[in-house]
Amino acid sequence: MADDQRFFTLYKQEEGRLWRMSLAIMGNEADASDALQESTIRGYRAFHQLQGGEVAFGAWMRRILANTCNQLLRKRSRQIPVEEVQADPDAFTPDVASDLGNETWMAVETLEEHYKQVVVLRFVNDLPLQDIAAALDIPLGTVKSRLHHALKLLRGRLSINA
């Protein structure tokens, strides 16, 4: 099978998971679509560099997507908005919002980006902590710390006793 055909066969198996991850990190469909498209292009161009075979493809693409989302978010933070846009709580796609519950999802949206990414990767994408560390290119201890702090913040915002 040709490399480009192999790439798209493997990509098709991961596409839904990648979309949910992108949407959860980026916060809206337009930015999520941009991030997914950019990461797909990057993955396609670098497919020949994939190590670990087809088994590693999903984690490899999630790492590319996480890095692409981080770049786009950094770029977004350097821009000055002309007008403040109010988030519409009903605008979230049902698949992500229903995974966490609408109230919980709104609380996750208020987290700082580095906390939000870890929560999304853990609870929306159901990734093990080790895979999150690899996807974000941070130490496992940092993932655990961020997840702990994020959950503590969420408990406070949602008035959950734990």
Side-chain angles (χ1 to χ4, degrees):
M1 188 182 310
D3 271 355
D4 57 340
Q5 194 174 22
R6 268 184 54 227
F7 174 83
F8 288 111
T9 300
L10 295 169
Y11 181 82
K12 199 69 174 162
Q13 296 169 3
E14 293 291 325
E15 188 173 25
R17 180 178 250 179
L18 293 169
W19 170 250
R20 287 189 301 275
M21 177 179 163
S22 182
L23 183 60
I25 292 172
M26 297 305 292
N28 65 63
E29 289 188 15
D31 289 342
S33 181
D34 288 346
L36 186 58
Q37 182 177 7
E38 180 66 29
S39 65
T40 303
I41 292 168
R42 289 177 183 181
Y44 178 76
R45 288 181 178 160
F47 186 60
H48 65 281
Q49 298 173 353
L50 174 63
Q51 297 176 2
E54 295 180 2
V55 175
F57 182 80
W60 181 72
M61 277 303 300
R62 286 190 295 274
R63 185 172 190 167
I64 291 172
L65 179 59
N67 289 337
T68 302
C69 288
N70 284 336
Q71 281 182 326
L72 292 174
L73 290 170
R74 278 193 301 271
K75 187 176 182 182
R76 181 196 298 171
S77 71
R78 290 191 301 258
Q79 297 173 346
I80 300 171
V82 176
E83 169 183 330
E84 185 68 29
V85 179
Q86 295 297 320
D88 179 9
D90 298 325
F92 297 109
T93 54
D95 57 344
V96 174
S98 66
D99 285 348
L100 294 177
N102 213 20
E103 181 182 356
T104 305
W105 179 247
M106 293 302 293
V108 169
E109 279 292 304
T110 66
L111 293 173
E112 294 176 40
E113 287 303 321
H114 61 278
Y115 291 142
K116 179 179 163 185
Q117 287 177 337
V118 174
V119 169
V120 165
L121 291 174
R122 179 69 186 109
F123 297 107
V124 175
N125 288 319
D126 199 28
L127 291 181
L129 298 179
Q130 192 68 38
D131 290 354
I132 296 170
L136 297 176
D137 197 24
I138 58 176
L140 180 60
T142 303
V143 172
K144 291 177 180 179
S145 175
R146 287 182 184 177
L147 188 58
H148 172 77
H149 289 292
L151 292 176
K152 188 175 179 181
L153 288 168
L154 288 173
R155 279 186 205 106
R157 291 176 187 174
L158 295 170
S159 301
I160 297 173
N161 295 325

